[in-house]
Amino acid sequence: MEFRLLGTVSVDTRTGPLPLGPAKRRSLLAALLLSANTPVPVARLTDSLWGEEPPPRARGVIQGHVSRLRALLTGAEAQAYGVELVTLGDAYVLRVPETLLDYQRFEELLMLARQQRSAADTVRMLDDALSLWQGPALGGTFTEGPLQAAAHTLEESRLATVEELARAYADLGEHHRAASVLRAEAVAHPMRESLAAALILALYRAGRQSEALDWFHRTRRLLADELGIDPGHELADAYALILRGGPRPGAAPAGGTDAAGASRAGTGPVEGAGTAAPPGPRGPAAHNPSVATHPTDLLPAPPVVSTGATPSWRRSPGRPRVRRPCAWSPGPPGWARRRWPSSGHTTTPASSRTDGSSPICAGSARRANPLSSMSCVSSCWPWASPRAVSRSPSAPPPRSSGP
């Protein structure tokens, strides 16, 4: 035996459904089943059957329907299943196990589906829950007052379950199935924005962008014509995601090349572009000034935008001046025999030469051109004086006789 409320109100037995009779009797049975195992006063039954205008003999009509239902249940051997319709003073109670109520099984399956960790298990349980529905809730009854509210609550629960099923399909990557599940409900409930938003996202993720945009504009016009309102946040967010080309599941993210690969390819972001980089040492020397893997690591970062004035970080009296090594400025021993990326060849500072050869600037490939040497002094030794620049590159600097 099974009592059905998710669809046409009926009682299924081994020999077939019971002949419940007119809609008033079905409405009475539905009111008793919605409050199963709980006494239902005659006043509430009257409101469920007739609303605000009951007939003068409403109590007698209810008693007649109760007697007929009791006879039908007794003839179907309902007591063997633990089903009994009894009278308690001015109320009636239908005692029935919850396992025989389809809406109770629906709620139980829905609760179990929300506890699953696997999306595939969630899909199976939600499918089983929705398979219990045979049509609109409380079909074949007079949905007045309490029955109308109960039918609306059950329908809302079903629509929420459909949306959860679509999300479970999306977790599995089956966006086409999610769209097919949502489309039928969105057509039946065109004013429900959550359904429209879920359908738009499912269509977009399934690669059907034009259909998604068409559905959004259709819903927007309907809301404006019927209610005079704009789409809500959920619907507007779905539309904005499509316009900005949000990433679809499984698609490579924008700018998928990592930063290191971009810098190696020469297409990476330029440091300081758009914002001024803070002054200070760069590279490993920024963390430990005593360690330098390259002479340029100890040079301060130049300002991004030049205004013609001396930067404040160069005018700071407390900041030590670090000279870049060249032919006239021997570097630390750790810099000997380093490879300079600008020229691709190595050079040995003057302090490490023992063969008496003339010094050669690492940034210049020409050995005996005074102009290239002077340009090296101006670029490699920014604090060199004009007098030092005018000296011959091959002549050693004069010794000072004074203290």
Side-chain angles (χ1 to χ4, degrees):
M1 180 173 286
E2 183 179 11
F3 295 87
R4 294 186 175 275
L5 296 179
L6 305 180
T8 302
V9 177
S10 62
V11 181
D12 293 340
T13 64
R14 290 181 298 178
T15 59
L18 294 181
L20 296 179
K24 289 295 183 183
R25 193 173 301 162
R26 293 178 184 270
S27 301
L28 177 63
L29 177 61
L32 293 174
L33 290 174
L34 289 172
S35 301
N37 304 312
T38 303
V40 183
V42 174
R44 191 197 303 180
L45 294 175
T46 302
D47 293 339
S48 300
L49 297 180
W50 291 282
E52 298 180 356
E53 298 180 357
R57 301 183 61 238
R59 181 181 292 270
V61 174
I62 291 176
Q63 291 176 351
H65 287 310
V66 168
S67 299
R68 182 56 181 165
L69 285 175
R70 186 179 288 119
L72 289 173
L73 294 175
T74 302
E77 300 180 354
Q79 291 183 351
Y81 298 93
V83 179
E84 186 180 6
L85 178 57
V86 298
T87 303
L88 296 177
D90 196 27
Y92 298 97
V93 57
L94 181 58
R95 296 171 181 170
V96 53
E98 293 184 353
T99 56
L100 302 183
L101 300 174
D102 61 346
Y103 76 93
Q104 290 288 352
R105 295 204 310 273
F106 170 76
E107 293 292 339
E108 183 179 358
L109 287 172
L110 184 58
M111 181 182 63
L112 292 175
R114 292 169 178 170
Q115 297 175 356
Q116 300 302 314
R117 296 183 179 180
S118 171
D121 294 338
T122 301
V123 166
R124 284 193 293 268
M125 289 192 176
L126 292 178
D127 277 333
D128 293 341
L130 290 174
S131 66
L132 296 174
W133 286 76
Q134 304 297 325
L138 306 183
T141 64
F142 291 100
T143 52
E144 299 276 348
L147 290 182
Q148 183 179 10
H152 180 73
T153 301
L154 291 173
E155 183 66 15
E156 285 291 323
S157 181
R158 187 185 70 85
L159 293 177
T161 304
V162 171
E163 294 175 1
E164 291 187 27
L165 178 61
R167 286 193 292 268
Y169 277 131
D171 293 339
L172 294 175
E174 301 179 5
H175 302 290
H176 290 283
R177 299 190 65 178
S180 63
V181 167
L182 293 168
R183 181 183 289 274
E185 301 300 334
V187 170
H189 303 81
M191 308 294 288
R192 188 180 177 90
E193 293 189 47
S194 59
L195 271 176
L199 176 59
I200 289 172
L201 291 178
L203 290 172
Y204 172 68
R205 290 166 179 167
R208 297 151 67 179
Q209 180 175 345
S210 59
E211 294 183 52
L213 292 175
D214 178 71
W215 199 272
F216 169 80
H217 291 297
R218 183 188 309 177
T219 306
R220 177 183 57 81
R221 289 192 297 267
L222 182 63
L223 292 174
D225 296 340
E226 298 293 334
L227 303 178
I229 61 175
D230 293 328
H233 292 290
E234 190 173 3
L235 197 58
D237 291 344
Y239 180 62
L241 176 66
I242 299 177
L243 290 185
R244 67 172 178 263
R248 300 186 181 93
T257 307
D258 56 352
S263 62
R264 287 192 298 268
T267 59
V270 180
E271 180 182 357
T275 58
R282 295 171 292 179
H287 304 284
N288 188 0
S290 63
V291 179
T293 60
H294 194 277
T296 58
D297 290 337
L298 293 180
L299 287 179
V304 176
V305 180
S306 176
T307 59
T310 303
S312 59
W313 59 272
R314 286 193 176 183
R315 295 196 304 265
S316 176
R319 185 178 182 85
R321 294 183 177 182
V322 183
R323 297 181 178 180
R324 183 175 178 178
C326 65
W328 296 274
S329 177
W335 293 356
R337 307 301 298 177
R338 291 290 183 182
R339 180 171 294 275
W340 290 58
S342 60
S343 60
H345 65 276
T346 59
T347 183
T348 304
S351 59
S352 61
R353 293 194 185 94
T354 57
D355 55 353
S357 61
S358 60
I360 303 174
C361 178
S364 174
R366 289 171 293 181
R367 298 175 177 268
N369 191 345
L371 295 180
S372 63
S373 301
M374 293 176 64
S375 63
C376 173
V377 172
S378 61
S379 61
C380 298
W381 195 1
W383 294 277
S385 62
R387 181 178 178 183
V389 174
S390 63
R391 289 196 302 267
S392 173
S394 61
R399 296 183 179 180
S400 175
S401 58

